[in-house]
Amino acid sequence: MTEKLTLRDNAAVRWAALLLLALAMFCSYIFMDILSPIKDLMQSERGWDSLAFGTMQGSETFLNVFVFFLIFAGIILDKMGVRFTALLSGGVMLIGAVIKWYAVAEGFKGSGLEAWFTNNLNYIPVFDELGISPFYQGMPASAKLAAVGFMIFGCGVEMAGITVSRGIVKWFKGREIALAMGSEMALARLGVATCMIFSPFFAKLGGQVDVSRSVAFGVVLLMIALIMFIVYFFMDKKLDAQTGEAEEKDEPFKIKDIGKILSSGGFWLVALLCVLYYSAIFPFQKYAVNMLQCNLSFTPPAEGSFWAGNTVTIIQYCIMLVVAATAFAFNFTSKKSLKTLLLTISVIGLVVFCYMGYMRQSAETIFAVFPLLAVGITPILGKVVDNKGKAASMLMFGSILLIVCHLTFAFILPLFKDSAIGGVLIAYVTILILGASFSLVPASLWPSVPKLVDQKVIGSAYALIFWIQNIGLWLFPLLIGKVLDNTNPQVVNDLKNHVITPEQAAVSYNYTWPLVMLACLGVAALIIGIILKRVDKVKGLGLELPNVQQ
């Protein structure tokens, strides 16, 4: 008797389910960094210095880390299943985003709520003593409320992250799981480029600066993300009806299951690698545009010219989509002539995209190139891990690239500040390589988790890894802000004494030591990667083995 085929046995349907999850994460990634490309505007328009900006950005993970929300999210996922948790995460993200939008909106200025936040939350018992409070005396009221909204959003987005990972395992286990995870993350990370291009576009639309328009753009996208999760809900429900599998909630959760996860040495090494990798990338993204503004000399295009207009933004974004689509499709065609054509279009498109970024003379359009190389190579890496293995080896290689890129930003890029073309070229190449190194994580690290833990607690395992990861994502945006202020005392003092304007201060920081700190994370990740490969060889964890079951 032949086995009845299900939705996940149909490749088109299986990948359609992945597309829904990826699009939802694409929207969430945009909102995650929605203020990153306009850090300078937040300082000039809302009075957020580096400490306020870093504290607000770090607040995203505060509840996940210190109230253990991510652990609860993992338990909810294992008990209630992918469908319920996906809808819950989409709703929580949207609520937090709306609060953050109001915090930076003009309506918040002069309101009773602004007065309340100004006079309160300046001291949080216990958290202040421990030095982990998400607020501080003198923090702008708008930054405080934005931090509250970002905390709530952070609960939703991290819940969505573990839910999407669990959903991919459900639809792709025993198949091309690394390719699926890598492809999902590659598409999601296009959100970074979208954010870098459109956040400043909306903030400056019509020639009048309004930072709340950027956040409103993100809120609309999160509404779309919730719709994606709703559509996925019905697909996933039909799959369970076909397979006869009960949603995970029918499997009783036991606290001792957490103990089983934590007793795995391989799990801890993967978790440490994750926190080191992500701490060297995500916090950097929040400051990357400002870092480029401080290390490159830009000459704004003439007012009224094509390069200073809004049309160029749309054209450049369309070219980005062409680059991403052709680079991604290149991996899925077997015809040599078509592969050559797709690769040619992608390369030419990338060159045109970079040229337009240079002509626009803006840091955000230069950093927008970050995910483009990753989109093309992530499927390749996923195929290698699925069919050849070598996940641990790839993680070590990614760590080396991470170190090289951050040290290049720290010591080489500043030497070319006065070189109009040289500095931009170095920035482009380094940003592309950094994005490519980051693509090694979803392609090799995340698919390794099912090899380390029992199937029924995969949700909790991902939640624990995300929780450990969130410690770094909370700490390092805050540390970067503090290190910037402490290593740039002249800028801080000149700003306080009104020697320079907030606009001048925003582009005057020396980023050397924050970047060295991030490079050190790469060194630590490399050491952990070497240990992980050794442990895998001794204990036979299977991390270097292929994912696809023959």
Side-chain angles (χ1 to χ4, degrees):
M1 181 181 293
T2 59
E3 186 178 347
K4 182 180 178 181
L5 295 179
T6 65
L7 286 177
R8 65 181 165 211
D9 294 313
N10 185 315
V13 177
R14 188 166 69 241
W15 284 88
L18 177 75
L19 182 62
L20 290 171
L21 296 174
L23 286 174
M25 293 309 294
F26 168 82
C27 295
S28 70
Y29 266 56
I30 292 175
F31 192 85
M32 191 183 300
D33 282 316
I34 200 69
L35 295 182
S36 299
I38 54 174
K39 176 182 180 290
D40 57 328
L41 296 181
M42 297 310 299
Q43 182 154 357
S44 60
E45 298 297 313
R46 293 295 182 270
W48 295 13
D49 58 14
S50 292
L51 179 58
F53 184 83
T55 302
M56 191 287 302
Q57 294 283 40
S59 68
E60 177 197 347
T61 60
F62 182 81
L63 294 178
N64 288 325
V65 174
F66 298 108
V67 187
F68 304 102
F69 182 83
L70 251 178
I71 305 301
F72 296 125
I75 295 173
I76 292 170
L77 177 56
D78 283 332
K79 286 181 69 69
M80 302 303 293
V82 173
R83 296 193 296 272
F84 173 85
T85 314
L87 293 182
L88 179 62
S89 64
V92 172
M93 282 194 292
L94 187 56
I95 291 171
V98 171
I99 294 174
K100 185 173 180 178
W101 165 77
Y102 179 66
V104 300
E106 291 295 325
F108 180 69
K109 289 183 176 181
S111 66
L113 197 57
E114 182 185 35
W116 189 91
F117 272 93
T118 299
N119 298 322
N120 294 277
L121 299 181
N122 294 311
Y123 171 75
I124 310 296
V126 181
F127 288 101
D128 267 274
E129 278 74 16
L130 294 174
I132 57 174
S133 176
F135 314 107
Y136 62 86
Q137 180 75 39
M139 186 175 181
S142 58
K144 288 180 183 176
L145 181 57
V148 172
F150 212 28
M151 287 179 201
I152 297 172
F153 167 81
C155 291
V157 74
E158 295 300 335
M159 186 192 300
I162 61 174
T163 302
V164 167
S165 296
R166 181 69 179 86
I168 293 174
V169 171
K170 182 176 182 177
W171 283 78
F172 285 87
K173 187 173 177 64
R175 296 176 174 85
E176 56 277 86
I177 185 171
L179 177 60
M181 285 191 170
S183 299
E184 178 270 324
M185 193 55 72
L187 177 57
R189 285 191 185 133
L190 284 178
V192 178
T194 304
C195 173
M196 296 299 159
I197 290 175
F198 281 107
S199 179
F201 171 80
F202 283 109
K204 301 173 183 177
L205 191 63
Q208 183 177 359
V209 175
D210 184 353
V211 293
S212 69
R213 285 196 297 257
S214 297
V215 184
F217 165 64
V219 171
V220 172
L221 291 176
L222 289 178
M223 293 178 183
I224 296 173
L226 182 56
I227 293 173
M228 296 295 104
F229 280 139
I230 291 172
V231 176
Y232 173 83
F233 178 96
F234 291 103
M235 285 188 66
D236 195 78
K237 188 174 183 179
K238 186 173 182 180
L239 173 65
D240 281 354
Q242 289 180 339
T243 61
E245 297 174 358
E247 267 279 80
E248 292 86 340
K249 61 182 178 182
D250 290 336
E251 181 69 49
F253 178 84
K254 300 180 181 66
I255 295 297
K256 67 179 182 180
D257 291 333
I258 296 289
K260 291 179 181 178
I261 298 172
L262 297 178
S263 63
S264 169
F267 167 84
W268 277 108
L269 289 172
V270 168
L272 287 173
L273 259 174
C274 177
V275 69
L276 292 168
Y277 249 107
Y278 277 74
S279 295
I281 298 287
F282 279 133
F284 170 73
Q285 283 179 194
K286 300 181 187 304
Y287 288 88
V289 170
N290 188 236
M291 183 275 294
L292 293 176
Q293 290 171 336
C294 295
N295 283 319
L296 295 174
S297 296
F298 293 107
T299 303
E303 190 173 344
S305 68
F306 169 75
W307 300 108
N310 292 328
T311 303
V312 67
T313 301
I314 308 300
I315 295 174
Q316 189 180 20
Y317 188 68
C318 290
I319 292 174
M320 185 203 80
L321 293 179
V322 170
V323 173
T326 52
F328 192 76
F330 169 82
N331 296 278
F332 297 92
T333 181
S334 56
K335 293 184 178 180
K336 188 174 181 180
S337 58
L338 183 57
K339 287 178 76 74
T340 302
L341 176 62
L342 290 172
L343 182 61
T344 301
I345 294 174
S346 183
V347 172
I348 293 174
L350 181 61
V351 172
V352 173
F353 181 88
C354 292
Y355 173 75
M356 294 182 74
Y358 167 74
M359 291 301 294
R360 294 183 67 186
Q361 289 289 290
S362 64
E364 56 269 20
T365 55
I366 290 176
F367 190 72
V369 79
F370 176 70
L372 292 188
L373 184 58
V375 172
I377 71 168
T378 299
I380 297 174
L381 297 174
K383 286 181 180 179
V384 171
V385 176
D386 281 331
N387 298 290
K388 303 293 183 181
K390 305 299 181 184
S393 300
M394 284 192 175
L395 290 170
M396 291 167 54
F397 181 62
S399 300
I400 294 173
L401 293 180
L402 201 64
I403 298 166
V404 172
C405 289
H406 282 312
L407 291 180
T408 299
F409 285 133
F411 297 107
I412 298 179
L413 185 62
L415 299 178
F416 290 83
K417 183 171 184 176
D418 296 326
S419 174
I421 297 178
V424 172
L425 282 176
I426 291 173
Y428 269 134
V429 173
T430 310
I431 292 167
L432 283 167
I433 294 175
L434 184 66
S437 75
F438 197 27
S439 66
L440 290 163
V441 178
S444 51
L445 188 149
W446 295 121
S448 300
V449 177
K451 296 179 179 180
L452 303 174
V453 300
D454 188 82
Q455 175 76 17
K456 70 176 183 179
V457 293
I458 287 178
S460 296
Y462 279 126
L464 283 168
I465 292 179
F466 273 53
W467 178 72
I468 296 169
Q469 164 195 315
N470 269 239
I471 296 175
L473 299 188
W474 160 77
L475 178 62
F476 281 95
L478 181 60
L479 280 181
I480 293 173
K482 287 187 174 181
V483 171
L484 271 179
D485 280 347
N486 290 332
T487 56
N488 292 271
Q490 190 65 46
V491 175
V492 175
N493 290 332
D494 287 349
L495 180 61
K496 286 182 179 179
N497 296 325
H498 305 290
V499 176
I500 57 176
T501 65
E503 292 84 354
Q504 292 172 325
V507 296
S508 300
Y509 290 102
N510 183 325
Y511 269 83
T512 300
W513 288 110
L515 290 166
V516 169
M517 176 178 67
L518 297 178
C520 289
L521 294 178
V523 173
L526 177 59
I527 295 172
I528 297 297
I530 294 172
I531 296 173
L532 179 63
K533 187 173 181 179
R534 175 62 180 170
V535 170
D536 176 66
K537 184 176 181 180
V538 173
K539 295 188 176 182
L541 299 176
L543 300 181
E544 293 282 273
L545 298 178
N547 292 319
V548 175
Q549 299 173 0
Q550 301 297 329

